[in-house]
């Protein structure tokens, strides 16, 4: 592992957590999980270097972009309910997509189920 690149990735993770409003405990858990996952780490570093998604790594067919789109659906639903903690916070949305991918590695069935069953508020009767 490239030590300088790893230090840069750590600094970026710290900045993302700061701008996302996450605490030091979240950062340490996120960084530890990221260090344990070669594939998600590679996706994370690729985004850091290119400001674009690599999308080579898939868990049960889902990429980090798929996770982000699913989370955006939830974000819209939360805004519909008056919760807007991610409003205009791209750092938080990006961080949460990578964090969810790390969790999805450990529990793929759970997250596939959630992604296939939970949607936003884009259809009539959602809260009926």
């Amino acid at each position: 592992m490239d030590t300088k690149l790893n230090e840069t990735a750590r600094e970026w993770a710290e900045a993302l957590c700061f701008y996302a409003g996450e605490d030091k405990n979240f950062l340490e858990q996120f960084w530890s999980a990221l260090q344990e996952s070669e594939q998600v780490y590679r996706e994370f570093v690729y985004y850091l270097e290119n400001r674009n998604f690599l999308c080579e790594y898939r868990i049960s067919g889902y990429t980090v972009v798929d996770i982000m789109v699913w989370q955006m659906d939830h974000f819209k639903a939360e805004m519909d309910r008056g919760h807007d903690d991610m409003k205009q916070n791209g750092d938080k949305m990006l961080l949460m997509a990578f964090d969810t991918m790390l969790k999805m590695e450990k529990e793929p069935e759970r997250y596939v189920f959630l992604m296939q069953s939970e949607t936003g508020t884009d259809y009539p009767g959602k809260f009926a």
Side-chain angles (χ1 to χ4, degrees), residues 22-109:
E22 297 297 338
D23 63 18
K24 185 86 170 163
N25 187 46
F26 179 92
L27 167 65
E28 294 307 326
Q29 290 176 356
F30 174 76
W31 185 249
S32 177
L34 195 60
Q35 293 293 283
E36 293 174 11
S37 173
E38 183 179 327
Q39 296 92 341
V40 179
Y41 179 82
R42 183 167 186 244
E43 296 279 334
F44 185 79
V45 167
Y46 184 88
Y47 189 90
L48 166 63
E49 294 179 322
N50 298 282
R51 294 299 190 251
N52 201 352
F53 295 98
L54 180 60
C55 292
E56 273 187 5
Y57 183 47
R58 294 173 183 272
I59 302 172
S60 300
Y62 293 98
T63 67
V64 69
V65 170
D66 297 318
I67 293 167
M68 186 174 249
V69 169
W70 171 65
Q71 288 182 329
M72 286 172 64
D73 218 17
H74 283 274
F75 167 64
K76 288 187 289 182
E78 289 299 310
M79 284 184 66
D80 290 347
R81 293 183 192 108
H83 306 122
D84 60 357
D85 68 323
M86 283 201 291
K87 187 176 184 178
Q88 300 178 1
N89 192 336
D91 294 322
K92 185 164 188 145
M93 294 174 76
L94 182 64
L95 178 64
M96 291 303 115
F98 282 110
D99 185 58
T100 298
M101 188 170 222
L102 290 165
K103 292 173 181 168
M104 191 173 184
E105 270 188 326
K106 307 268 189 236
E107 298 180 83
E109 298 85 12

